[in-house]
Structures are given as structure tokens and as C-alpha cells.
Amino acid sequence: MANLPSPALPRSRDLTPGRSVIGWPVRLLLAAVVAVANIGGALIVFVLGAWVLPTGGLADPGRARVVNVLLFAGYLVVCVPLGFVWGSLRFRLGRTARRDPERRIRHLVLYGPLRIVTILATLWIGAVVLFGLFNLRFSPRLAMQIAETITIGGIATCSLSYLLTERILRGAASRVLSRTPPRQRRFVPGVLVRAVLFWTLGTAVPVGGLLLAGIATLVFGDVTAERLAVMVLAIGGSALLAGVLTTLGAARATSDPVVAVRRAMQRVEQGDFDVRVPVYDNTELGRLQAGFNTMAEGLAERERIRDLFGRHVGHEVARAAAASDGVELGGEVRRVAVLFVDLVGSTAMAAQRPPTEVVGVLNAFFAVVVEVVERHGGWINKFEGDAALAVFGAPNHLPDAAGCALAAGRELAERLAEELPDLTAGIGVSAGDAVAGNVGDVRRYEYTVIGDPVNEAARLTELAKTAPGGVVASGAAVSLASGREAERWRVEDSVVLRGRTEATLVAVPAPAG
């Protein structure tokens, strides 16, 4: 029963009185499985009563057996179609379904196994009464033995039928429970009570029947050793079979939801936050399934917010903020490298082109900037109109922040010339000590870098707009870079940048070769 038909629940416009809440495939499967289980149980009970139990000194055992065979056949002929019709009616909507259709469908589906077992228990009780009274004419002892055997067989078979019905209706239960979280209801046993109950019905009761057979043998003393051995083997074998089937079904009813949650948790550990488990149990296990789905939804929402947060402020800053215990304004002195890139002629472009076209151009420009900066271990601190400020070495430490920034500047100049030849940009790179931390107010703040390297990079960008290649760096950045990257640059001039009093060494990429 691993792949059961999916029960199609009726839609609101189809809630006519008399309509079943489960589809034909599930109804047929349910009828077939329950019929096989109960007919099989009835045959076992009949064989035990007719050929295994002692006859109790009947004058004509053969006649009693023949009469009981005919009675058994007639009862099956009546009860099988009656059970089918009665069971079908128990899943049909009443005239009050339109008042609260979802509640009515939910009630019919979740209590479906109990409704089926109620029908079966009624038919088995009818068999106890009928066969007990009928066999009084032959012997009170025979009537008592047959009534006890039918009772024990009926209890075991009803227990197994409940488990089978519950499993078949899982699809329908998952649909109704997906609309409303499961909650503990009256007359629906929890996991512990369910386990004890099914052990009692599936194992203790059949074994109790074996004990009753032994007691009867001691009391009446008319059973031969051979007949006693046959009784023990037959009743014991039936008890083992019923116990195994019922215990296995109860164990699967408990383990299946747990296994489904465990597998879903493995997918969550692998980063799949969209996984969900079907909720088909109305006990603690159903609340476990629903709780996992709520947790997965929360994790997915948190991941989405973290991703959006990272896109706004940078993933490094987002991870640092998530790892911190609270908001702390201010910062610390860090050795960082800064890359500033500014587009040339954006004001004229905005005046000559439609706004949507300008935005498209800027997005294409910034896409290259972000890709190159992140490739070299930096992050975009902010976008300023047609310019971008990238930081290397804060908040996460970078062993060669200056070298990474210089390499990013060279590659960015080459990529922009190749991919966006119609655009011209200036790129400035600087490095040194700066304060990195949260600036603003506890109600609204941002992580940023403040210090001379930032100002110097911005001024170098203005110089780079007219420099060959469009990228320049400070001599300080080249001196702080690793030897391999520093060799790719050469200092060409010393310039007093705007707003500064001291000259700055200016370096440009060295020619290849």
C-alpha cells in the first residue's frame, strides 16, 4: 500500500446530500481490503470453532458442524453486501453539509476508521449473539466456546481493520488537515494509548483466548492430550498471526510519520527549505508533522529575508549582523582597501535617454561591478546614483585586501571596456586604516567604512576618468599589496588631490609583458 490512490475530496459546489467524501478508487480499495481482512478472520474463527475446539460430548457433532456451516455461509451472504452498503453510507454527506462543509468533511474523513470499525464490531457482535443462541440447542458449553471464539476473532480483526482503514485514508486525511492544523480530539487515542490499545486487542486478547481454552480443559477434564495439542497449536498460531499483523500495523502507523519528518529534515539540512510533509495523523504525530511544516515555512521565510537583507547590505555584513548578539553603534579601526567606480557622462545620458533605458544601462554596469568585486572577496558598501563603493577587508578579514582591490580594479576596467564599450568609467583604488562599523541610530543604521582611504579612492576616481585605461590606485595601496599584485602596477606621478594638502602617489596598471 505504498502508492495509494489519491482521494479527491468534493468541492464546495459539489456538496450535495448523499455525495461521498472519498472517490471511487479509494472506496473500492477500502471495501476490498476490509472485506478480505474480515472474511479471512471469519474463516479462521469458523475453522477453530468447527474442527479445533472440543465438542463437549455432543451426541451428533457432525450434524452440529453442518448446521453451523450453513449458518456461517448464510451470515456471510447477508453481512458482506450489508457491510458494503452501510460502510458507503458512513462516508456520505448529510443534509446539513452545506452549513459548515469543511468541518463535516473533516469529521467524516478523520473519524472514517472509527466509523468502519463501528460497523464491523456491530456485525461481529451480531455473529456472537446469533451463533451463541443457535448453539444452545446443542450444548451450553459449545455455545459459550463459539461465542468466546467469535468475540476474540472479532476484536483482533476489528483492530487490524482500523489500521488498514487509517492507512488507506491517509491521502484524504492529509488534505483535510492541510486546511486546519491537527489537534487532539475526543475518542482519538494518542500515540501511547494507541500502542497499548492495539497490543491489548491484537495480542493480549488472542492469548487470553488460549488461556480460556486451557481453563476449560482443566475444568471439564474431557479433552485428550492430542486434542489439547491441536487446540494450543491452532489458537496459538492464530494469536501469533493476529499479534504480528496488528503490532506491525500499529508500529508502521507510528514510524511512518517519524520517518517522513526525518527525511524532510535531511533535505532541510541540505538547504531545501521548501520541503513539506503530508499531515495525515490527528494525534501527537500529526502535530509533529504540522510543526515541522511550520518550522520549514519559518526557515524558508527567514532565508528569504536573509537573502534580501544580504542583497541590500552585502552578504558579509548580513552574516556578521546575524552572528552578533545585538546592535552596537560605532566601529573599530581596520586595515581595509577601497574601490570606488563612477560612470562618466551619466548626467547627459539621463537627459537624452528615457528613464527606463537609463536604469537598464545602470543595471548592466553595476552587474559587472558586483560580479568582479565579489569574485575578489569584496562587497558593495553602497550605490550612489551612477557610482559604487566597494570595500575589501571589513567586516570579514581578508589577508591581502589591498591586492584583492587592485586586482578587482584591473579586471573591472578590462571587463567594462569589453562588455560595455559605449560607457566610460573611472576607477580609483586606495588602502589604509579606516573605521568600520555601524553608523546611524539603533532604529536605523548601516554598516560602512569611514576614513582617509575612502576619500582618497573617491578623488582618485575623478583622476581616473581622464587617465588611460580608466583605473588608478594610490601608492599606499600598491605598497600594502602582495608582491605578485604589486608588480602589476607602476607609480607614475605624485598629485595633490582635491581637498587634500599632501601629494598622493598615483599608480596605474603596468603594461603586460
Side-chain angles (χ1 to χ4, degrees), residues 266-299:
Q266 291 176 344
R267 293 179 58 182
V268 169
E269 291 175 356
Q270 297 169 0
D272 181 7
F273 298 107
D274 294 327
V275 61
R276 300 291 183 271
V277 295
V279 182
Y280 52 77
D281 196 290
N282 203 33
T283 65
E284 297 93 333
L285 294 173
R287 293 194 289 278
L288 172 66
Q289 294 170 320
F292 172 85
N293 290 338
T294 301
M295 180 199 72
E297 291 173 1
L299 290 174

PDB file of all heavy atoms in Angstrom, residues 266-299:
ATOM      1  N   GLN A 266      16.455  15.964   6.709  1.00  0.00           N
ATOM      2  CA  GLN A 266      17.699  15.813   5.955  1.00  0.00           C
ATOM      3  C   GLN A 266      17.727  16.759   4.764  1.00  0.00           C
ATOM      4  O   GLN A 266      18.771  17.337   4.442  1.00  0.00           O
ATOM      5  CB  GLN A 266      17.853  14.362   5.495  1.00  0.00           C
ATOM      6  CG  GLN A 266      18.122  13.380   6.626  1.00  0.00           C
ATOM      7  CD  GLN A 266      18.182  11.947   6.143  1.00  0.00           C
ATOM      8  OE1 GLN A 266      17.735  11.619   5.036  1.00  0.00           O
ATOM      9  NE2 GLN A 266      18.727  11.063   6.963  1.00  0.00           N
ATOM     10  N   ARG A 267      16.583  16.948   4.109  1.00  0.00           N
ATOM     11  CA  ARG A 267      16.531  17.872   2.983  1.00  0.00           C
ATOM     12  C   ARG A 267      16.687  19.311   3.453  1.00  0.00           C
ATOM     13  O   ARG A 267      17.294  20.136   2.761  1.00  0.00           O
ATOM     14  CB  ARG A 267      15.216  17.685   2.228  1.00  0.00           C
ATOM     15  CG  ARG A 267      15.108  16.335   1.527  1.00  0.00           C
ATOM     16  CD  ARG A 267      13.787  16.177   0.819  1.00  0.00           C
ATOM     17  NE  ARG A 267      13.566  17.219  -0.167  1.00  0.00           N
ATOM     18  CZ  ARG A 267      12.453  17.329  -0.898  1.00  0.00           C
ATOM     19  NH1 ARG A 267      11.474  16.441  -0.718  1.00  0.00           N
ATOM     20  NH2 ARG A 267      12.321  18.303  -1.765  1.00  0.00           N
ATOM     21  N   VAL A 268      16.149  19.621   4.635  1.00  0.00           N
ATOM     22  CA  VAL A 268      16.333  20.970   5.182  1.00  0.00           C
ATOM     23  C   VAL A 268      17.807  21.208   5.488  1.00  0.00           C
ATOM     24  O   VAL A 268      18.348  22.293   5.233  1.00  0.00           O
ATOM     25  CB  VAL A 268      15.476  21.156   6.447  1.00  0.00           C
ATOM     26  CG1 VAL A 268      15.852  22.441   7.176  1.00  0.00           C
ATOM     27  CG2 VAL A 268      14.003  21.182   6.083  1.00  0.00           C
ATOM     28  N   GLU A 269      18.489  20.186   6.035  1.00  0.00           N
ATOM     29  CA  GLU A 269      19.916  20.318   6.317  1.00  0.00           C
ATOM     30  C   GLU A 269      20.722  20.577   5.045  1.00  0.00           C
ATOM     31  O   GLU A 269      21.770  21.220   5.086  1.00  0.00           O
ATOM     32  CB  GLU A 269      20.430  19.046   7.002  1.00  0.00           C
ATOM     33  CG  GLU A 269      19.890  18.852   8.421  1.00  0.00           C
ATOM     34  CD  GLU A 269      20.319  17.529   9.003  1.00  0.00           C
ATOM     35  OE1 GLU A 269      20.965  16.744   8.279  1.00  0.00           O
ATOM     36  OE2 GLU A 269      20.012  17.267  10.184  1.00  0.00           O
ATOM     37  N   GLN A 270      20.218  20.088   3.910  1.00  0.00           N
ATOM     38  CA  GLN A 270      20.893  20.294   2.637  1.00  0.00           C
ATOM     39  C   GLN A 270      20.517  21.626   1.987  1.00  0.00           C
ATOM     40  O   GLN A 270      20.972  21.924   0.888  1.00  0.00           O
ATOM     41  CB  GLN A 270      20.572  19.142   1.683  1.00  0.00           C
ATOM     42  CG  GLN A 270      21.087  17.791   2.186  1.00  0.00           C
ATOM     43  CD  GLN A 270      20.545  16.628   1.384  1.00  0.00           C
ATOM     44  OE1 GLN A 270      19.769  16.807   0.433  1.00  0.00           O
ATOM     45  NE2 GLN A 270      20.934  15.414   1.749  1.00  0.00           N
ATOM     46  N   GLY A 271      19.662  22.402   2.662  1.00  0.00           N
ATOM     47  CA  GLY A 271      19.312  23.728   2.161  1.00  0.00           C
ATOM     48  C   GLY A 271      17.984  23.816   1.439  1.00  0.00           C
ATOM     49  O   GLY A 271      17.636  24.877   0.920  1.00  0.00           O
ATOM     50  N   ASP A 272      17.204  22.725   1.402  1.00  0.00           N
ATOM     51  CA  ASP A 272      15.904  22.744   0.743  1.00  0.00           C
ATOM     52  C   ASP A 272      14.842  23.119   1.774  1.00  0.00           C
ATOM     53  O   ASP A 272      14.357  22.262   2.521  1.00  0.00           O
ATOM     54  CB  ASP A 272      15.595  21.374   0.124  1.00  0.00           C
ATOM     55  CG  ASP A 272      14.268  21.352  -0.605  1.00  0.00           C
ATOM     56  OD1 ASP A 272      13.644  22.424  -0.748  1.00  0.00           O
ATOM     57  OD2 ASP A 272      13.843  20.271  -1.042  1.00  0.00           O
ATOM     58  N   PHE A 273      14.473  24.395   1.827  1.00  0.00           N
ATOM     59  CA  PHE A 273      13.506  24.857   2.810  1.00  0.00           C
ATOM     60  C   PHE A 273      12.076  24.814   2.281  1.00  0.00           C
ATOM     61  O   PHE A 273      11.151  25.223   2.995  1.00  0.00           O
ATOM     62  CB  PHE A 273      13.853  26.293   3.240  1.00  0.00           C
ATOM     63  CG  PHE A 273      15.197  26.417   3.894  1.00  0.00           C
ATOM     64  CD1 PHE A 273      16.255  27.011   3.226  1.00  0.00           C
ATOM     65  CD2 PHE A 273      15.411  25.912   5.157  1.00  0.00           C
ATOM     66  CE1 PHE A 273      17.496  27.122   3.812  1.00  0.00           C
ATOM     67  CE2 PHE A 273      16.652  26.017   5.764  1.00  0.00           C
ATOM     68  CZ  PHE A 273      17.695  26.614   5.090  1.00  0.00           C
ATOM     69  N   ASP A 274      11.881  24.349   1.066  1.00  0.00           N
ATOM     70  CA  ASP A 274      10.536  24.257   0.503  1.00  0.00           C
ATOM     71  C   ASP A 274       9.910  22.886   0.738  1.00  0.00           C
ATOM     72  O   ASP A 274       8.784  22.644   0.298  1.00  0.00           O
ATOM     73  CB  ASP A 274      10.577  24.541  -1.005  1.00  0.00           C
ATOM     74  CG  ASP A 274      10.979  25.974  -1.292  1.00  0.00           C
ATOM     75  OD1 ASP A 274      10.635  26.844  -0.479  1.00  0.00           O
ATOM     76  OD2 ASP A 274      11.640  26.217  -2.329  1.00  0.00           O
ATOM     77  N   VAL A 275      10.618  21.983   1.416  1.00  0.00           N
ATOM     78  CA  VAL A 275      10.103  20.639   1.634  1.00  0.00           C
ATOM     79  C   VAL A 275       8.953  20.691   2.644  1.00  0.00           C
ATOM     80  O   VAL A 275       8.965  21.464   3.594  1.00  0.00           O
ATOM     81  CB  VAL A 275      11.229  19.706   2.144  1.00  0.00           C
ATOM     82  CG1 VAL A 275      11.789  20.200   3.466  1.00  0.00           C
ATOM     83  CG2 VAL A 275      10.725  18.279   2.288  1.00  0.00           C
ATOM     84  N   ARG A 276       7.939  19.876   2.419  1.00  0.00           N
ATOM     85  CA  ARG A 276       6.815  19.739   3.334  1.00  0.00           C
ATOM     86  C   ARG A 276       6.467  18.258   3.470  1.00  0.00           C
ATOM     87  O   ARG A 276       6.690  17.478   2.549  1.00  0.00           O
ATOM     88  CB  ARG A 276       5.586  20.503   2.832  1.00  0.00           C
ATOM     89  CG  ARG A 276       5.792  21.997   2.655  1.00  0.00           C
ATOM     90  CD  ARG A 276       5.966  22.712   3.980  1.00  0.00           C
ATOM     91  NE  ARG A 276       6.096  24.158   3.779  1.00  0.00           N
ATOM     92  CZ  ARG A 276       7.236  24.785   3.575  1.00  0.00           C
ATOM     93  NH1 ARG A 276       8.373  24.085   3.521  1.00  0.00           N
ATOM     94  NH2 ARG A 276       7.274  26.084   3.412  1.00  0.00           N
ATOM     95  N   VAL A 277       5.927  17.888   4.622  1.00  0.00           N
ATOM     96  CA  VAL A 277       5.487  16.511   4.828  1.00  0.00           C
ATOM     97  C   VAL A 277       3.964  16.508   4.898  1.00  0.00           C
ATOM     98  O   VAL A 277       3.362  17.438   5.435  1.00  0.00           O
ATOM     99  CB  VAL A 277       6.085  15.916   6.119  1.00  0.00           C
ATOM    100  CG1 VAL A 277       7.587  15.789   6.008  1.00  0.00           C
ATOM    101  CG2 VAL A 277       5.720  16.747   7.332  1.00  0.00           C
ATOM    102  N   PRO A 278       3.324  15.484   4.348  1.00  0.00           N
ATOM    103  CA  PRO A 278       1.864  15.423   4.440  1.00  0.00           C
ATOM    104  C   PRO A 278       1.426  15.167   5.880  1.00  0.00           C
ATOM    105  O   PRO A 278       2.029  14.352   6.581  1.00  0.00           O
ATOM    106  CB  PRO A 278       1.502  14.240   3.522  1.00  0.00           C
ATOM    107  CG  PRO A 278       2.740  13.402   3.478  1.00  0.00           C
ATOM    108  CD  PRO A 278       3.895  14.349   3.598  1.00  0.00           C
ATOM    109  N   VAL A 279       0.398  15.863   6.317  1.00  0.00           N
ATOM    110  CA  VAL A 279      -0.144  15.698   7.670  1.00  0.00           C
ATOM    111  C   VAL A 279      -1.384  14.824   7.560  1.00  0.00           C
ATOM    112  O   VAL A 279      -2.404  15.258   7.032  1.00  0.00           O
ATOM    113  CB  VAL A 279      -0.491  17.066   8.298  1.00  0.00           C
ATOM    114  CG1 VAL A 279      -1.011  16.879   9.717  1.00  0.00           C
ATOM    115  CG2 VAL A 279       0.726  17.971   8.289  1.00  0.00           C
ATOM    116  N   TYR A 280      -1.292  13.593   8.032  1.00  0.00           N
ATOM    117  CA  TYR A 280      -2.435  12.680   7.911  1.00  0.00           C
ATOM    118  C   TYR A 280      -2.801  12.029   9.230  1.00  0.00           C
ATOM    119  O   TYR A 280      -3.630  11.118   9.266  1.00  0.00           O
ATOM    120  CB  TYR A 280      -2.144  11.594   6.869  1.00  0.00           C
ATOM    121  CG  TYR A 280      -0.846  10.857   7.071  1.00  0.00           C
ATOM    122  CD1 TYR A 280      -0.720   9.884   8.039  1.00  0.00           C
ATOM    123  CD2 TYR A 280       0.252  11.141   6.288  1.00  0.00           C
ATOM    124  CE1 TYR A 280       0.469   9.207   8.221  1.00  0.00           C
ATOM    125  CE2 TYR A 280       1.453  10.474   6.458  1.00  0.00           C
ATOM    126  CZ  TYR A 280       1.549   9.505   7.424  1.00  0.00           C
ATOM    127  OH  TYR A 280       2.729   8.836   7.601  1.00  0.00           O
ATOM    128  N   ASP A 281      -2.198  12.449  10.321  1.00  0.00           N
ATOM    129  CA  ASP A 281      -2.462  11.855  11.627  1.00  0.00           C
ATOM    130  C   ASP A 281      -3.022  12.923  12.548  1.00  0.00           C
ATOM    131  O   ASP A 281      -2.541  14.056  12.557  1.00  0.00           O
ATOM    132  CB  ASP A 281      -1.167  11.268  12.210  1.00  0.00           C
ATOM    133  CG  ASP A 281      -1.439  10.309  13.356  1.00  0.00           C
ATOM    134  OD1 ASP A 281      -1.857  10.796  14.421  1.00  0.00           O
ATOM    135  OD2 ASP A 281      -1.220   9.093  13.193  1.00  0.00           O
ATOM    136  N   ASN A 282      -4.038  12.571  13.328  1.00  0.00           N
ATOM    137  CA  ASN A 282      -4.674  13.550  14.199  1.00  0.00           C
ATOM    138  C   ASN A 282      -4.215  13.425  15.645  1.00  0.00           C
ATOM    139  O   ASN A 282      -4.830  13.955  16.547  1.00  0.00           O
ATOM    140  CB  ASN A 282      -6.196  13.408  14.132  1.00  0.00           C
ATOM    141  CG  ASN A 282      -6.901  14.685  14.544  1.00  0.00           C
ATOM    142  OD1 ASN A 282      -6.401  15.777  14.308  1.00  0.00           O
ATOM    143  ND2 ASN A 282      -8.058  14.563  15.169  1.00  0.00           N
ATOM    144  N   THR A 283      -3.102  12.679  15.871  1.00  0.00           N
ATOM    145  CA  THR A 283      -2.560  12.533  17.212  1.00  0.00           C
ATOM    146  C   THR A 283      -1.334  13.427  17.359  1.00  0.00           C
ATOM    147  O   THR A 283      -1.126  14.363  16.585  1.00  0.00           O
ATOM    148  CB  THR A 283      -2.185  11.070  17.472  1.00  0.00           C
ATOM    149  OG1 THR A 283      -1.103  10.701  16.592  1.00  0.00           O
ATOM    150  CG2 THR A 283      -3.373  10.157  17.210  1.00  0.00           C
ATOM    151  N   GLU A 284      -0.493  13.124  18.361  1.00  0.00           N
ATOM    152  CA  GLU A 284       0.747  13.878  18.535  1.00  0.00           C
ATOM    153  C   GLU A 284       1.615  13.817  17.288  1.00  0.00           C
ATOM    154  O   GLU A 284       2.364  14.753  16.985  1.00  0.00           O
ATOM    155  CB  GLU A 284       1.542  13.332  19.730  1.00  0.00           C
ATOM    156  CG  GLU A 284       0.828  13.460  21.061  1.00  0.00           C
ATOM    157  CD  GLU A 284       0.034  12.229  21.420  1.00  0.00           C
ATOM    158  OE1 GLU A 284      -0.395  11.512  20.503  1.00  0.00           O
ATOM    159  OE2 GLU A 284      -0.165  11.976  22.602  1.00  0.00           O
ATOM    160  N   LEU A 285       1.531  12.700  16.546  1.00  0.00           N
ATOM    161  CA  LEU A 285       2.328  12.566  15.324  1.00  0.00           C
ATOM    162  C   LEU A 285       1.882  13.575  14.264  1.00  0.00           C
ATOM    163  O   LEU A 285       2.704  14.127  13.532  1.00  0.00           O
ATOM    164  CB  LEU A 285       2.213  11.137  14.782  1.00  0.00           C
ATOM    165  CG  LEU A 285       2.818  10.054  15.670  1.00  0.00           C
ATOM    166  CD1 LEU A 285       2.502   8.680  15.114  1.00  0.00           C
ATOM    167  CD2 LEU A 285       4.323  10.237  15.783  1.00  0.00           C
ATOM    168  N   GLY A 286       0.588  13.800  14.176  1.00  0.00           N
ATOM    169  CA  GLY A 286       0.098  14.807  13.243  1.00  0.00           C
ATOM    170  C   GLY A 286       0.556  16.196  13.629  1.00  0.00           C
ATOM    171  O   GLY A 286       0.904  17.019  12.767  1.00  0.00           O
ATOM    172  N   ARG A 287       0.566  16.467  14.925  1.00  0.00           N
ATOM    173  CA  ARG A 287       1.065  17.771  15.358  1.00  0.00           C
ATOM    174  C   ARG A 287       2.562  17.883  15.120  1.00  0.00           C
ATOM    175  O   ARG A 287       3.076  18.984  14.876  1.00  0.00           O
ATOM    176  CB  ARG A 287       0.719  17.988  16.831  1.00  0.00           C
ATOM    177  CG  ARG A 287      -0.789  18.131  17.061  1.00  0.00           C
ATOM    178  CD  ARG A 287      -1.101  18.678  18.442  1.00  0.00           C
ATOM    179  NE  ARG A 287      -0.815  17.711  19.483  1.00  0.00           N
ATOM    180  CZ  ARG A 287      -1.633  16.731  19.849  1.00  0.00           C
ATOM    181  NH1 ARG A 287      -2.789  16.586  19.215  1.00  0.00           N
ATOM    182  NH2 ARG A 287      -1.309  15.906  20.809  1.00  0.00           N
ATOM    183  N   LEU A 288       3.278  16.758  15.201  1.00  0.00           N
ATOM    184  CA  LEU A 288       4.700  16.769  14.847  1.00  0.00           C
ATOM    185  C   LEU A 288       4.879  17.095  13.367  1.00  0.00           C
ATOM    186  O   LEU A 288       5.743  17.912  12.995  1.00  0.00           O
ATOM    187  CB  LEU A 288       5.322  15.401  15.163  1.00  0.00           C
ATOM    188  CG  LEU A 288       6.760  15.177  14.682  1.00  0.00           C
ATOM    189  CD1 LEU A 288       7.713  16.122  15.424  1.00  0.00           C
ATOM    190  CD2 LEU A 288       7.175  13.726  14.879  1.00  0.00           C
ATOM    191  N   GLN A 289       4.078  16.474  12.500  1.00  0.00           N
ATOM    192  CA  GLN A 289       4.151  16.753  11.070  1.00  0.00           C
ATOM    193  C   GLN A 289       3.817  18.225  10.786  1.00  0.00           C
ATOM    194  O   GLN A 289       4.533  18.905  10.041  1.00  0.00           O
ATOM    195  CB  GLN A 289       3.182  15.839  10.310  1.00  0.00           C
ATOM    196  CG  GLN A 289       3.553  14.368  10.370  1.00  0.00           C
ATOM    197  CD  GLN A 289       2.445  13.476   9.819  1.00  0.00           C
ATOM    198  OE1 GLN A 289       1.261  13.719  10.051  1.00  0.00           O
ATOM    199  NE2 GLN A 289       2.839  12.453   9.096  1.00  0.00           N
ATOM    200  N   ALA A 290       2.722  18.708  11.390  1.00  0.00           N
ATOM    201  CA  ALA A 290       2.334  20.104  11.172  1.00  0.00           C
ATOM    202  C   ALA A 290       3.383  21.050  11.745  1.00  0.00           C
ATOM    203  O   ALA A 290       3.676  22.101  11.156  1.00  0.00           O
ATOM    204  CB  ALA A 290       0.968  20.370  11.810  1.00  0.00           C
ATOM    205  N   GLY A 291       3.972  20.685  12.890  1.00  0.00           N
ATOM    206  CA  GLY A 291       5.011  21.513  13.480  1.00  0.00           C
ATOM    207  C   GLY A 291       6.247  21.599  12.600  1.00  0.00           C
ATOM    208  O   GLY A 291       6.871  22.658  12.484  1.00  0.00           O
ATOM    209  N   PHE A 292       6.598  20.470  11.964  1.00  0.00           N
ATOM    210  CA  PHE A 292       7.739  20.509  11.045  1.00  0.00           C
ATOM    211  C   PHE A 292       7.449  21.435   9.877  1.00  0.00           C
ATOM    212  O   PHE A 292       8.312  22.220   9.461  1.00  0.00           O
ATOM    213  CB  PHE A 292       8.057  19.113  10.524  1.00  0.00           C
ATOM    214  CG  PHE A 292       9.084  19.110   9.436  1.00  0.00           C
ATOM    215  CD1 PHE A 292      10.433  19.112   9.741  1.00  0.00           C
ATOM    216  CD2 PHE A 292       8.707  19.136   8.095  1.00  0.00           C
ATOM    217  CE1 PHE A 292      11.394  19.140   8.743  1.00  0.00           C
ATOM    218  CE2 PHE A 292       9.649  19.168   7.095  1.00  0.00           C
ATOM    219  CZ  PHE A 292      11.001  19.161   7.417  1.00  0.00           C
ATOM    220  N   ASN A 293       6.239  21.349   9.325  1.00  0.00           N
ATOM    221  CA  ASN A 293       5.896  22.222   8.200  1.00  0.00           C
ATOM    222  C   ASN A 293       5.941  23.689   8.605  1.00  0.00           C
ATOM    223  O   ASN A 293       6.409  24.546   7.843  1.00  0.00           O
ATOM    224  CB  ASN A 293       4.503  21.863   7.674  1.00  0.00           C
ATOM    225  CG  ASN A 293       4.485  20.518   6.978  1.00  0.00           C
ATOM    226  OD1 ASN A 293       5.512  20.014   6.526  1.00  0.00           O
ATOM    227  ND2 ASN A 293       3.318  19.915   6.887  1.00  0.00           N
ATOM    228  N   THR A 294       5.463  23.990   9.814  1.00  0.00           N
ATOM    229  CA  THR A 294       5.533  25.370  10.301  1.00  0.00           C
ATOM    230  C   THR A 294       6.983  25.811  10.451  1.00  0.00           C
ATOM    231  O   THR A 294       7.353  26.942  10.097  1.00  0.00           O
ATOM    232  CB  THR A 294       4.808  25.490  11.648  1.00  0.00           C
ATOM    233  OG1 THR A 294       3.433  25.084  11.486  1.00  0.00           O
ATOM    234  CG2 THR A 294       4.844  26.918  12.162  1.00  0.00           C
ATOM    235  N   MET A 295       7.823  24.905  10.977  1.00  0.00           N
ATOM    236  CA  MET A 295       9.241  25.221  11.116  1.00  0.00           C
ATOM    237  C   MET A 295       9.889  25.458   9.759  1.00  0.00           C
ATOM    238  O   MET A 295      10.662  26.413   9.573  1.00  0.00           O
ATOM    239  CB  MET A 295       9.967  24.082  11.836  1.00  0.00           C
ATOM    240  CG  MET A 295      11.456  24.310  12.027  1.00  0.00           C
ATOM    241  SD  MET A 295      12.369  22.794  12.375  1.00  0.00           S
ATOM    242  CE  MET A 295      12.313  21.992  10.758  1.00  0.00           C
ATOM    243  N   ALA A 296       9.567  24.588   8.781  1.00  0.00           N
ATOM    244  CA  ALA A 296      10.151  24.740   7.447  1.00  0.00           C
ATOM    245  C   ALA A 296       9.703  26.047   6.802  1.00  0.00           C
ATOM    246  O   ALA A 296      10.492  26.733   6.138  1.00  0.00           O
ATOM    247  CB  ALA A 296       9.758  23.555   6.566  1.00  0.00           C
ATOM    248  N   GLU A 297       8.441  26.412   7.004  1.00  0.00           N
ATOM    249  CA  GLU A 297       7.954  27.687   6.463  1.00  0.00           C
ATOM    250  C   GLU A 297       8.704  28.852   7.113  1.00  0.00           C
ATOM    251  O   GLU A 297       9.063  29.833   6.443  1.00  0.00           O
ATOM    252  CB  GLU A 297       6.459  27.813   6.704  1.00  0.00           C
ATOM    253  CG  GLU A 297       5.623  26.847   5.873  1.00  0.00           C
ATOM    254  CD  GLU A 297       4.153  26.883   6.269  1.00  0.00           C
ATOM    255  OE1 GLU A 297       3.808  27.675   7.172  1.00  0.00           O
ATOM    256  OE2 GLU A 297       3.368  26.114   5.690  1.00  0.00           O
ATOM    257  N   GLY A 298       8.918  28.760   8.436  1.00  0.00           N
ATOM    258  CA  GLY A 298       9.660  29.810   9.114  1.00  0.00           C
ATOM    259  C   GLY A 298      11.096  29.905   8.637  1.00  0.00           C
ATOM    260  O   GLY A 298      11.631  31.011   8.444  1.00  0.00           O
ATOM    261  N   LEU A 299      11.740  28.742   8.423  1.00  0.00           N
ATOM    262  CA  LEU A 299      13.113  28.747   7.920  1.00  0.00           C
ATOM    263  C   LEU A 299      13.179  29.318   6.504  1.00  0.00           C
ATOM    264  O   LEU A 299      14.110  30.060   6.170  1.00  0.00           O
ATOM    265  CB  LEU A 299      13.678  27.326   7.943  1.00  0.00           C
ATOM    266  CG  LEU A 299      13.963  26.729   9.325  1.00  0.00           C
ATOM    267  CD1 LEU A 299      14.383  25.276   9.189  1.00  0.00           C
ATOM    268  CD2 LEU A 299      15.034  27.529  10.046  1.00  0.00           C
TER     269      LEU A 299
END
